[in-house]
Amino acid sequence: INAEYMGNIRGVYEAKLEGFMPGGGSLHSIGIAHGPDATTFEKASKAELGPVKSDPNALAFMFESILFYRLTQFAKENLVDKEYYQCWQALAPHFDPNDINAGV
């Protein structure tokens, strides 16, 4: 279990094709759901498996820690995206507990 801070320095970040602009960052505290947005997940789930070349002009980074990150008062009051959760609302359920051949 860890906390994660992602930053996008330049280009398009492949796990969030929209809305994660260069200079942007996202903080996910311990126990908070995070991952690719619904559009990116669906696209990747249906893609043919094989090597994929990342954009050579893109540059992103991630810091992970077992410790909690703390926001400054300024960040709490000015930089929290209260609509961030919306990027997962379109995720469709794919799990079928009765499919004994799943993953085979």
Side-chain angles (χ1 to χ4, degrees):
I1 298 179
N2 59 5
E4 171 184 296
Y5 179 78
M6 288 291 309
N8 186 17
I9 295 173
R10 66 174 182 252
V12 176
Y13 177 59
E14 59 195 21
K16 293 261 194 284
L17 298 178
E18 295 181 16
F20 198 45
M21 305 299 292
S26 65
L27 174 64
H28 302 103
S29 295
I30 293 172
I32 301 298
H34 60 284
D37 58 39
T39 302
T40 305
F41 175 81
E42 291 295 334
K43 181 180 173 186
S45 295
K46 295 173 182 165
E48 184 175 328
L49 295 178
V52 176
K53 184 173 181 172
S54 296
D55 179 355
N57 297 313
L59 182 59
F61 65 90
M62 177 192 308
F63 296 122
E64 292 188 82
S65 176
I66 60 171
L67 304 174
F68 284 94
Y69 296 124
R70 292 183 68 162
L71 293 176
T72 64
Q73 194 63 35
F74 177 84
K76 288 180 195 177
E77 295 171 359
N78 299 284
L79 302 175
V80 174
D81 181 357
K82 296 187 186 325
E83 300 300 317
Y84 185 67
Y85 74 96
Q86 293 287 347
C87 71
W88 298 296
Q89 297 305 299
L91 280 173
H94 295 284
F95 178 71
D96 180 355
N98 299 312
D99 184 357
I100 62 172
N101 296 311
V104 177

